[in-house]
Amino acid sequence: MPCVQLLLGMGDLMARGTALLVTLPTVISGSIANARYHYTHFTEGIIIGIFATFTVNLGAIIVRSISPFICNILFCIFLFSVCLQMILKTGILAKNKR
């Protein structure tokens, strides 16, 4: 999203919305492929969807009370933690395969 903001001059919310719109076809095609190979857990998905439906308003209230700068910092921390977790898991798996 920072690249979209810098290269196309979009605002923060417009860039996030555009990124969401672009990912929807990928999500749909991936879901169809996973369902075809029986990798999809529909019961768990429905349960998560129901809880997400009821808690989305709470998330919106929290996001509205935080500045976009703080949201970006929190998102960067989240991405860093995901990357670190993936690196650690990859390292652990590589040690186990030797």
Side-chain angles (χ1 to χ4, degrees), residues 1 14 17 23-25 35 45 47 58 60 62 64-65 67 70 74 77-78 82-83 89 92-93:
M1 284 176 274
M14 181 67 87
T23 58
L24 282 177
I47 291 170
L58 177 64
I62 292 170
R64 269 191 243 130
S65 67
S67 73
I70 298 297
L74 292 173
I77 291 170
F78 170 72
V82 168
C83 291
K89 282 186 178 181
I92 292 169
L93 292 175

Side-chain angles (χ1 to χ4, degrees), residues 50-65:
I50 289 170
F51 280 106
T53 301
F54 290 115
T55 58
V56 70
N57 289 331
L58 177 64
I61 291 168
I62 292 170
V63 167
R64 269 191 243 130
S65 67

Side-chain angles (χ1 to χ4, degrees), residues 7-96:
L7 297 176
L8 301 177
M10 288 186 178
D12 183 41
L13 295 177
M14 181 67 87
R16 290 179 192 210
T18 302
L20 177 63
L21 185 63
V22 169
T23 58
L24 282 177
T26 306
V27 169
I28 292 169
S29 66
S31 297
I32 291 170
N34 285 332
R36 185 177 301 150
Y37 293 110
H38 304 290
Y39 295 145
T40 308
H41 301 279
F42 289 107
T43 305
E44 290 88 348
I46 291 170
I47 291 170
I48 291 170
I50 289 170
F51 280 106
T53 301
F54 290 115
T55 58
V56 70
N57 289 331
L58 177 64
I61 291 168
I62 292 170
V63 167
R64 269 191 243 130
S65 67
I66 300 173
S67 73
F69 179 73
I70 298 297
C71 286
N72 285 337
I73 289 176
L74 292 173
F75 186 65
C76 289
I77 291 170
F78 170 72
L79 285 181
F80 178 75
S81 65
V82 168
C83 291
L84 184 62
Q85 181 184 21
M86 290 175 69
I87 290 169
L88 292 175
K89 282 186 178 181
T90 303
I92 292 169
L93 292 175
K95 288 180 185 177
N96 289 339

